[in-house]
PDB file of all heavy atoms in Angstrom:
ATOM      1  N   ARG A 315     -21.491  79.043  89.230  1.00 97.00           N
ATOM      2  CA  ARG A 315     -20.186  78.388  89.167  1.00 97.00           C
ATOM      3  C   ARG A 315     -20.185  76.952  89.663  1.00 97.00           C
ATOM      4  O   ARG A 315     -19.392  76.132  89.201  1.00 97.00           O
ATOM      5  CB  ARG A 315     -19.168  79.197  89.979  1.00 97.00           C
ATOM      6  CG  ARG A 315     -18.808  80.544  89.340  1.00 97.00           C
ATOM      7  CD  ARG A 315     -17.743  81.262  90.126  1.00 97.00           C
ATOM      8  NE  ARG A 315     -17.223  82.415  89.395  1.00 97.00           N
ATOM      9  CZ  ARG A 315     -16.231  82.357  88.519  1.00 97.00           C
ATOM     10  NH1 ARG A 315     -15.646  81.205  88.264  1.00 97.00           N
ATOM     11  NH2 ARG A 315     -15.823  83.453  87.898  1.00 97.00           N
ATOM     12  N   ARG A 328     -14.756  66.805  82.080  1.00 98.00           N
ATOM     13  CA  ARG A 328     -13.614  67.596  82.542  1.00 98.00           C
ATOM     14  C   ARG A 328     -12.530  67.648  81.466  1.00 98.00           C
ATOM     15  O   ARG A 328     -11.885  68.682  81.256  1.00 98.00           O
ATOM     16  CB  ARG A 328     -13.054  67.005  83.837  1.00 98.00           C
ATOM     17  CG  ARG A 328     -13.992  67.162  85.031  1.00 98.00           C
ATOM     18  CD  ARG A 328     -13.333  66.714  86.329  1.00 98.00           C
ATOM     19  NE  ARG A 328     -14.257  66.770  87.438  1.00 98.00           N
ATOM     20  CZ  ARG A 328     -14.574  67.873  88.111  1.00 98.00           C
ATOM     21  NH1 ARG A 328     -14.014  69.021  87.760  1.00 98.00           N
ATOM     22  NH2 ARG A 328     -15.429  67.832  89.108  1.00 98.00           N
ATOM     23  N   GLU A 329     -12.344  66.541  80.771  1.00 97.00           N
ATOM     24  CA  GLU A 329     -11.365  66.519  79.683  1.00 97.00           C
ATOM     25  C   GLU A 329     -11.791  67.463  78.560  1.00 97.00           C
ATOM     26  O   GLU A 329     -10.961  68.191  77.993  1.00 97.00           O
ATOM     27  CB  GLU A 329     -11.220  65.089  79.153  1.00 97.00           C
ATOM     28  CG  GLU A 329     -10.202  64.952  78.035  1.00 97.00           C
ATOM     29  CD  GLU A 329     -10.080  63.517  77.551  1.00 97.00           C
ATOM     30  OE1 GLU A 329     -10.613  62.606  78.214  1.00 97.00           O
ATOM     31  OE2 GLU A 329      -9.458  63.311  76.484  1.00 97.00           O
ATOM     32  N   LEU A 330     -13.092  67.443  78.225  1.00 97.00           N
ATOM     33  CA  LEU A 330     -13.608  68.352  77.204  1.00 97.00           C
ATOM     34  C   LEU A 330     -13.373  69.799  77.623  1.00 97.00           C
ATOM     35  O   LEU A 330     -12.920  70.635  76.818  1.00 97.00           O
ATOM     36  CB  LEU A 330     -15.094  68.101  76.990  1.00 97.00           C
ATOM     37  CG  LEU A 330     -15.826  69.104  76.092  1.00 97.00           C
ATOM     38  CD1 LEU A 330     -15.334  68.991  74.655  1.00 97.00           C
ATOM     39  CD2 LEU A 330     -17.342  68.890  76.168  1.00 97.00           C
ATOM     40  N   ALA A 331     -13.684  70.127  78.879  1.00 97.00           N
ATOM     41  CA  ALA A 331     -13.521  71.493  79.362  1.00 97.00           C
ATOM     42  C   ALA A 331     -12.058  71.928  79.298  1.00 97.00           C
ATOM     43  O   ALA A 331     -11.757  73.053  78.886  1.00 97.00           O
ATOM     44  CB  ALA A 331     -14.043  71.602  80.791  1.00 97.00           C
ATOM     45  N   ALA A 332     -11.141  71.039  79.694  1.00 97.00           N
ATOM     46  CA  ALA A 332      -9.715  71.382  79.670  1.00 97.00           C
ATOM     47  C   ALA A 332      -9.228  71.596  78.246  1.00 97.00           C
ATOM     48  O   ALA A 332      -8.440  72.519  77.980  1.00 97.00           O
ATOM     49  CB  ALA A 332      -8.913  70.283  80.357  1.00 97.00           C
ATOM     50  N   GLU A 333      -9.680  70.754  77.330  1.00 96.00           N
ATOM     51  CA  GLU A 333      -9.273  70.889  75.932  1.00 96.00           C
ATOM     52  C   GLU A 333      -9.760  72.207  75.341  1.00 96.00           C
ATOM     53  O   GLU A 333      -9.009  72.930  74.666  1.00 96.00           O
ATOM     54  CB  GLU A 333      -9.821  69.711  75.136  1.00 96.00           C
ATOM     55  CG  GLU A 333      -9.442  69.726  73.664  1.00 96.00           C
ATOM     56  CD  GLU A 333     -10.037  68.538  72.924  1.00 96.00           C
ATOM     57  OE1 GLU A 333     -10.324  67.511  73.567  1.00 96.00           O
ATOM     58  OE2 GLU A 333     -10.215  68.652  71.696  1.00 96.00           O
ATOM     59  N   LEU A 334     -11.016  72.546  75.600  1.00 96.00           N
ATOM     60  CA  LEU A 334     -11.566  73.791  75.087  1.00 96.00           C
ATOM     61  C   LEU A 334     -10.904  74.997  75.742  1.00 96.00           C
ATOM     62  O   LEU A 334     -10.670  76.025  75.096  1.00 96.00           O
ATOM     63  CB  LEU A 334     -13.080  73.825  75.314  1.00 96.00           C
ATOM     64  CG  LEU A 334     -13.907  72.859  74.465  1.00 96.00           C
ATOM     65  CD1 LEU A 334     -15.333  72.762  75.002  1.00 96.00           C
ATOM     66  CD2 LEU A 334     -13.917  73.310  73.007  1.00 96.00           C
ATOM     67  N   ARG A 335     -10.597  74.875  77.033  1.00 96.00           N
ATOM     68  CA  ARG A 335      -9.980  75.983  77.753  1.00 96.00           C
ATOM     69  C   ARG A 335      -8.587  76.276  77.201  1.00 96.00           C
ATOM     70  O   ARG A 335      -8.174  77.441  77.106  1.00 96.00           O
ATOM     71  CB  ARG A 335      -9.899  75.650  79.243  1.00 96.00           C
ATOM     72  CG  ARG A 335      -9.595  76.840  80.132  1.00 96.00           C
ATOM     73  CD  ARG A 335     -10.519  77.985  79.803  1.00 96.00           C
ATOM     74  NE  ARG A 335     -10.868  78.800  80.937  1.00 96.00           N
ATOM     75  CZ  ARG A 335     -11.519  79.929  80.852  1.00 96.00           C
ATOM     76  NH1 ARG A 335     -11.877  80.402  79.663  1.00 96.00           N
ATOM     77  NH2 ARG A 335     -11.848  80.616  81.911  1.00 96.00           N
ATOM     78  N   ALA A 336      -7.873  75.226  76.813  1.00 96.00           N
ATOM     79  CA  ALA A 336      -6.543  75.426  76.242  1.00 96.00           C
ATOM     80  C   ALA A 336      -6.617  76.176  74.917  1.00 96.00           C
ATOM     81  O   ALA A 336      -5.722  76.949  74.579  1.00 96.00           O
ATOM     82  CB  ALA A 336      -5.851  74.076  76.052  1.00 96.00           C
ATOM     83  N   GLU A 337      -7.706  75.961  74.180  1.00 93.00           N
ATOM     84  CA  GLU A 337      -7.881  76.633  72.893  1.00 93.00           C
ATOM     85  C   GLU A 337      -8.455  78.037  73.051  1.00 93.00           C
ATOM     86  O   GLU A 337      -8.209  78.902  72.202  1.00 93.00           O
ATOM     87  CB  GLU A 337      -8.831  75.813  72.011  1.00 93.00           C
ATOM     88  CG  GLU A 337      -8.342  74.410  71.693  1.00 93.00           C
ATOM     89  CD  GLU A 337      -9.403  73.579  70.984  1.00 93.00           C
ATOM     90  OE1 GLU A 337     -10.515  74.112  70.762  1.00 93.00           O
ATOM     91  OE2 GLU A 337      -9.126  72.413  70.667  1.00 93.00           O
ATOM     92  N   ALA A 338      -9.228  78.261  74.125  1.00 96.00           N
ATOM     93  CA  ALA A 338      -9.953  79.528  74.285  1.00 96.00           C
ATOM     94  C   ALA A 338      -9.863  80.004  75.729  1.00 96.00           C
ATOM     95  O   ALA A 338     -10.764  79.757  76.534  1.00 96.00           O
ATOM     96  CB  ALA A 338     -11.413  79.349  73.872  1.00 96.00           C
ATOM     97  N   PRO A 339      -8.776  80.716  76.088  1.00 95.00           N
ATOM     98  CA  PRO A 339      -8.652  81.201  77.468  1.00 95.00           C
ATOM     99  C   PRO A 339      -9.651  82.299  77.821  1.00 95.00           C
ATOM    100  O   PRO A 339      -9.961  82.501  78.995  1.00 95.00           O
ATOM    101  CB  PRO A 339      -7.207  81.722  77.525  1.00 95.00           C
ATOM    102  CG  PRO A 339      -6.822  81.963  76.104  1.00 95.00           C
ATOM    103  CD  PRO A 339      -7.573  80.972  75.291  1.00 95.00           C
ATOM    104  N   ASP A 340     -10.167  83.022  76.833  1.00 96.00           N
ATOM    105  CA  ASP A 340     -11.173  84.045  77.080  1.00 96.00           C
ATOM    106  C   ASP A 340     -12.541  83.381  77.279  1.00 96.00           C
ATOM    107  O   ASP A 340     -12.911  82.465  76.536  1.00 96.00           O
ATOM    108  CB  ASP A 340     -11.236  85.006  75.889  1.00 96.00           C
ATOM    109  CG  ASP A 340     -12.317  86.046  76.047  1.00 96.00           C
ATOM    110  OD1 ASP A 340     -12.089  87.036  76.757  1.00 96.00           O
ATOM    111  OD2 ASP A 340     -13.407  85.853  75.456  1.00 96.00           O
ATOM    112  N   ASP A 341     -13.296  83.833  78.287  1.00 96.00           N
ATOM    113  CA  ASP A 341     -14.562  83.178  78.621  1.00 96.00           C
ATOM    114  C   ASP A 341     -15.580  83.245  77.481  1.00 96.00           C
ATOM    115  O   ASP A 341     -16.286  82.278  77.217  1.00 96.00           O
ATOM    116  CB  ASP A 341     -15.158  83.791  79.890  1.00 96.00           C
ATOM    117  CG  ASP A 341     -14.407  83.367  81.144  1.00 96.00           C
ATOM    118  OD1 ASP A 341     -13.469  82.555  81.028  1.00 96.00           O
ATOM    119  OD2 ASP A 341     -14.759  83.854  82.239  1.00 96.00           O
ATOM    120  N   ALA A 342     -15.691  84.388  76.816  1.00 95.00           N
ATOM    121  CA  ALA A 342     -16.638  84.499  75.706  1.00 95.00           C
ATOM    122  C   ALA A 342     -16.229  83.587  74.554  1.00 95.00           C
ATOM    123  O   ALA A 342     -17.073  82.925  73.937  1.00 95.00           O
ATOM    124  CB  ALA A 342     -16.736  85.946  75.241  1.00 95.00           C
ATOM    125  N   ASP A 343     -14.936  83.524  74.263  1.00 96.00           N
ATOM    126  CA  ASP A 343     -14.454  82.626  73.213  1.00 96.00           C
ATOM    127  C   ASP A 343     -14.691  81.172  73.596  1.00 96.00           C
ATOM    128  O   ASP A 343     -15.016  80.334  72.744  1.00 96.00           O
ATOM    129  CB  ASP A 343     -12.963  82.856  72.957  1.00 96.00           C
ATOM    130  CG  ASP A 343     -12.690  84.202  72.307  1.00 96.00           C
ATOM    131  OD1 ASP A 343     -13.638  84.801  71.755  1.00 96.00           O
ATOM    132  OD2 ASP A 343     -11.535  84.656  72.366  1.00 96.00           O
ATOM    133  N   PHE A 344     -14.518  80.867  74.882  1.00 96.00           N
ATOM    134  CA  PHE A 344     -14.784  79.509  75.362  1.00 96.00           C
ATOM    135  C   PHE A 344     -16.231  79.127  75.092  1.00 96.00           C
ATOM    136  O   PHE A 344     -16.522  78.020  74.625  1.00 96.00           O
ATOM    137  CB  PHE A 344     -14.487  79.411  76.861  1.00 96.00           C
ATOM    138  CG  PHE A 344     -14.741  78.048  77.448  1.00 96.00           C
ATOM    139  CD1 PHE A 344     -13.711  77.127  77.555  1.00 96.00           C
ATOM    140  CD2 PHE A 344     -16.007  77.682  77.901  1.00 96.00           C
ATOM    141  CE1 PHE A 344     -13.946  75.863  78.094  1.00 96.00           C
ATOM    142  CE2 PHE A 344     -16.245  76.428  78.427  1.00 96.00           C
ATOM    143  CZ  PHE A 344     -15.210  75.512  78.526  1.00 96.00           C
ATOM    144  N   ALA A 345     -17.150  80.037  75.380  1.00 94.00           N
ATOM    145  CA  ALA A 345     -18.573  79.756  75.171  1.00 94.00           C
ATOM    146  C   ALA A 345     -18.860  79.435  73.714  1.00 94.00           C
ATOM    147  O   ALA A 345     -19.568  78.468  73.400  1.00 94.00           O
ATOM    148  CB  ALA A 345     -19.407  80.950  75.624  1.00 94.00           C
ATOM    149  N   ALA A 347     -16.680  78.463  71.358  1.00 96.00           N
ATOM    150  CA  ALA A 347     -15.984  77.249  70.943  1.00 96.00           C
ATOM    151  C   ALA A 347     -16.706  76.007  71.445  1.00 96.00           C
ATOM    152  O   ALA A 347     -16.870  75.019  70.715  1.00 96.00           O
ATOM    153  CB  ALA A 347     -14.541  77.277  71.451  1.00 96.00           C
ATOM    154  N   ALA A 348     -17.159  76.040  72.703  1.00 96.00           N
ATOM    155  CA  ALA A 348     -17.888  74.897  73.262  1.00 96.00           C
ATOM    156  C   ALA A 348     -19.210  74.684  72.546  1.00 96.00           C
ATOM    157  O   ALA A 348     -19.615  73.551  72.272  1.00 96.00           O
ATOM    158  CB  ALA A 348     -18.118  75.120  74.756  1.00 96.00           C
ATOM    159  N   ARG A 351     -18.508  73.103  69.197  1.00 96.00           N
ATOM    160  CA  ARG A 351     -18.035  71.729  69.369  1.00 96.00           C
ATOM    161  C   ARG A 351     -19.196  70.790  69.681  1.00 96.00           C
ATOM    162  O   ARG A 351     -19.310  69.702  69.094  1.00 96.00           O
ATOM    163  CB  ARG A 351     -17.001  71.704  70.498  1.00 96.00           C
ATOM    164  CG  ARG A 351     -16.520  70.328  70.921  1.00 96.00           C
ATOM    165  CD  ARG A 351     -15.538  69.706  69.960  1.00 96.00           C
ATOM    166  NE  ARG A 351     -14.952  68.521  70.544  1.00 96.00           N
ATOM    167  CZ  ARG A 351     -13.819  68.522  71.262  1.00 96.00           C
ATOM    168  NH1 ARG A 351     -13.142  69.652  71.460  1.00 96.00           N
ATOM    169  NH2 ARG A 351     -13.348  67.397  71.757  1.00 96.00           N
ATOM    170  N   ALA A 390     -19.459  71.825  81.183  1.00 98.00           N
ATOM    171  CA  ALA A 390     -18.141  72.176  80.656  1.00 98.00           C
ATOM    172  C   ALA A 390     -17.718  73.561  81.135  1.00 98.00           C
ATOM    173  O   ALA A 390     -16.561  73.769  81.522  1.00 98.00           O
ATOM    174  CB  ALA A 390     -18.162  72.110  79.132  1.00 98.00           C
ATOM    175  N   CYS A 391     -18.642  74.509  81.100  1.00 98.00           N
ATOM    176  CA  CYS A 391     -18.326  75.869  81.550  1.00 98.00           C
ATOM    177  C   CYS A 391     -17.903  75.873  83.009  1.00 98.00           C
ATOM    178  O   CYS A 391     -16.851  76.436  83.374  1.00 98.00           O
ATOM    179  CB  CYS A 391     -19.533  76.780  81.364  1.00 98.00           C
ATOM    180  SG  CYS A 391     -19.865  77.276  79.660  1.00 98.00           S
ATOM    181  N   ARG A 392     -18.694  75.254  83.858  1.00 97.00           N
ATOM    182  CA  ARG A 392     -18.402  75.297  85.286  1.00 97.00           C
ATOM    183  C   ARG A 392     -17.136  74.527  85.609  1.00 97.00           C
ATOM    184  O   ARG A 392     -16.381  74.903  86.521  1.00 97.00           O
ATOM    185  CB  ARG A 392     -19.616  74.783  86.065  1.00 97.00           C
ATOM    186  CG  ARG A 392     -20.802  75.757  85.962  1.00 97.00           C
ATOM    187  CD  ARG A 392     -22.111  75.169  86.429  1.00 97.00           C
ATOM    188  NE  ARG A 392     -23.190  76.151  86.261  1.00 97.00           N
ATOM    189  CZ  ARG A 392     -24.484  75.853  86.374  1.00 97.00           C
ATOM    190  NH1 ARG A 392     -24.875  74.600  86.656  1.00 97.00           N
ATOM    191  NH2 ARG A 392     -25.400  76.790  86.209  1.00 97.00           N
ATOM    192  N   ALA A 393     -16.851  73.443  84.855  1.00 97.00           N
ATOM    193  CA  ALA A 393     -15.600  72.711  85.065  1.00 97.00           C
ATOM    194  C   ALA A 393     -14.394  73.555  84.685  1.00 97.00           C
ATOM    195  O   ALA A 393     -13.297  73.375  85.226  1.00 97.00           O
ATOM    196  CB  ALA A 393     -15.613  71.416  84.253  1.00 97.00           C
ATOM    197  N   ALA A 394     -14.582  74.482  83.745  1.00 97.00           N
ATOM    198  CA  ALA A 394     -13.493  75.346  83.293  1.00 97.00           C
ATOM    199  C   ALA A 394     -13.440  76.659  84.067  1.00 97.00           C
ATOM    200  O   ALA A 394     -12.625  77.533  83.751  1.00 97.00           O
ATOM    201  CB  ALA A 394     -13.653  75.631  81.800  1.00 97.00           C
ATOM    202  N   GLY A 395     -14.303  76.814  85.062  1.00 97.00           N
ATOM    203  CA  GLY A 395     -14.316  78.045  85.840  1.00 97.00           C
ATOM    204  C   GLY A 395     -15.022  79.199  85.169  1.00 97.00           C
ATOM    205  O   GLY A 395     -14.796  80.360  85.518  1.00 97.00           O
ATOM    206  N   VAL A 396     -15.905  78.890  84.216  1.00 97.00           N
ATOM    207  CA  VAL A 396     -16.642  79.922  83.486  1.00 97.00           C
ATOM    208  C   VAL A 396     -18.058  80.014  84.060  1.00 97.00           C
ATOM    209  O   VAL A 396     -18.812  79.036  83.999  1.00 97.00           O
ATOM    210  CB  VAL A 396     -16.706  79.592  81.983  1.00 97.00           C
ATOM    211  CG1 VAL A 396     -17.520  80.646  81.236  1.00 97.00           C
ATOM    212  CG2 VAL A 396     -15.303  79.490  81.403  1.00 97.00           C
ATOM    213  N   PRO A 397     -18.462  81.146  84.626  1.00 98.00           N
ATOM    214  CA  PRO A 397     -19.824  81.253  85.180  1.00 98.00           C
ATOM    215  C   PRO A 397     -20.868  81.219  84.067  1.00 98.00           C
ATOM    216  O   PRO A 397     -20.699  81.848  83.016  1.00 98.00           O
ATOM    217  CB  PRO A 397     -19.817  82.602  85.897  1.00 98.00           C
ATOM    218  CG  PRO A 397     -18.728  83.383  85.232  1.00 98.00           C
ATOM    219  CD  PRO A 397     -17.689  82.392  84.802  1.00 98.00           C
ATOM    220  N   VAL A 418     -23.525  82.597  79.151  1.00 98.00           N
ATOM    221  CA  VAL A 418     -22.212  82.614  79.786  1.00 98.00           C
ATOM    222  C   VAL A 418     -21.941  84.043  80.237  1.00 98.00           C
ATOM    223  O   VAL A 418     -22.096  84.992  79.461  1.00 98.00           O
ATOM    224  CB  VAL A 418     -21.133  82.120  78.803  1.00 98.00           C
ATOM    225  CG1 VAL A 418     -19.740  82.302  79.403  1.00 98.00           C
ATOM    226  CG2 VAL A 418     -21.372  80.657  78.463  1.00 98.00           C
ATOM    227  N   LEU A 419     -21.554  84.209  81.483  1.00 98.00           N
ATOM    228  CA  LEU A 419     -21.382  85.534  82.065  1.00 98.00           C
ATOM    229  C   LEU A 419     -19.923  85.962  81.976  1.00 98.00           C
ATOM    230  O   LEU A 419     -19.026  85.241  82.445  1.00 98.00           O
ATOM    231  CB  LEU A 419     -21.860  85.533  83.518  1.00 98.00           C
ATOM    232  CG  LEU A 419     -23.260  84.930  83.758  1.00 98.00           C
ATOM    233  CD1 LEU A 419     -23.658  85.081  85.208  1.00 98.00           C
ATOM    234  CD2 LEU A 419     -24.297  85.549  82.828  1.00 98.00           C
ATOM    235  N   VAL A 420     -19.692  87.106  81.363  1.00 97.00           N
ATOM    236  CA  VAL A 420     -18.332  87.604  81.177  1.00 97.00           C
ATOM    237  C   VAL A 420     -18.222  89.023  81.727  1.00 97.00           C
ATOM    238  O   VAL A 420     -19.205  89.769  81.770  1.00 97.00           O
ATOM    239  CB  VAL A 420     -17.935  87.581  79.681  1.00 97.00           C
ATOM    240  CG1 VAL A 420     -18.028  86.171  79.122  1.00 97.00           C
ATOM    241  CG2 VAL A 420     -18.796  88.538  78.861  1.00 97.00           C
TER     242      VAL A 420
END
Side-chain angles (χ1 to χ4, degrees):
R315 290 184 169 273
R328 291 187 184 279
E329 181 179 349
L330 172 67
E333 181 181 336
L334 290 167
R335 194 50 147 171
E337 299 172 359
D340 177 80
D341 286 357
D343 291 342
F344 180 94
R351 173 76 170 269
C391 285
R392 291 167 182 168
V396 178
V418 173
L419 310 184
V420 301

